[in-house]
Amino acid sequence: MNKAWLIGAVLLLTATSAVILPKLADIDSSVQQRNGTVETFTGSHNTVLGNDNLVDVLGALPLTLSIDSVGWEDHVLSLDLKVSGNDHEPEELYQNMAQAISFAIQETSNVDQLLLRIVVEDKWLGSRRLLLAGDIRRSEWSYTLQDELQSAGNLPISDRLKTGFRISETELWKKQFIYP
């Protein structure tokens, strides 16, 4: 009699778990959706960045600017994109930034922070100068900010975007690209 009661209790517990656990998962995802933080799993989100594949993966990105330098340490990706020549518009630079951010946040699973810089090479002086810099964090990234950067065109970016992606503009950027 004791074994039958134990088997019945285990079966009841198993059946109850099969019904209750999916309901708990739904409750958790609805709370996350209400707070605006939902992580989705897509086929492209599987890239795990590391020192062994860093060059190959970043080299395959469809960027119009060349990659000047790359660093990877402790879930932080550092990426410098280089502007060469005078035929670049702000829209192109914003598009490259958006592409790099999209890759780091949406297509990888282990980049928590992207330190992104746009630099210009001064061939006369043999030096590099900073134009734009961003500190993009996975925990603060949003589709809204990503879309706003993607569609900024040749206009100055908003203060909301500067704050959300921690974008800094140098005086050189403002003089050469925004208010020539």
Side-chain angles (χ1 to χ4, degrees), residues 68-141:
D68 190 48
S69 68
V70 174
W72 172 250
E73 186 176 335
D74 198 26
H75 301 282
V76 177
L77 175 62
S78 302
L79 178 62
D80 287 1
L81 300 177
K82 182 171 60 174
V83 174
S84 54
N86 296 327
D87 57 342
H88 298 281
E89 295 288 328
E91 180 176 24
E92 179 189 2
L93 305 185
Y94 296 151
Q95 294 289 326
N96 277 264
M97 291 177 71
Q99 181 65 39
I101 294 167
S102 175
F103 164 74
I105 303 300
Q106 294 178 281
E107 297 179 28
T108 68
S109 58
N110 65 331
V111 175
D112 293 332
Q113 183 178 11
L114 171 64
L115 301 175
L116 180 61
R117 298 186 325 162
I118 306 289
V119 296
V120 63
E121 184 176 39
D122 187 340
K123 292 181 182 180
W124 293 100
L125 298 175
S127 64
R128 297 176 343 163
R129 297 189 58 195
L130 182 65
L131 294 174
L132 295 167
D135 177 358
I136 299 89
R137 299 173 187 198
R138 181 179 295 274
S139 60
E140 297 170 3
W141 176 89

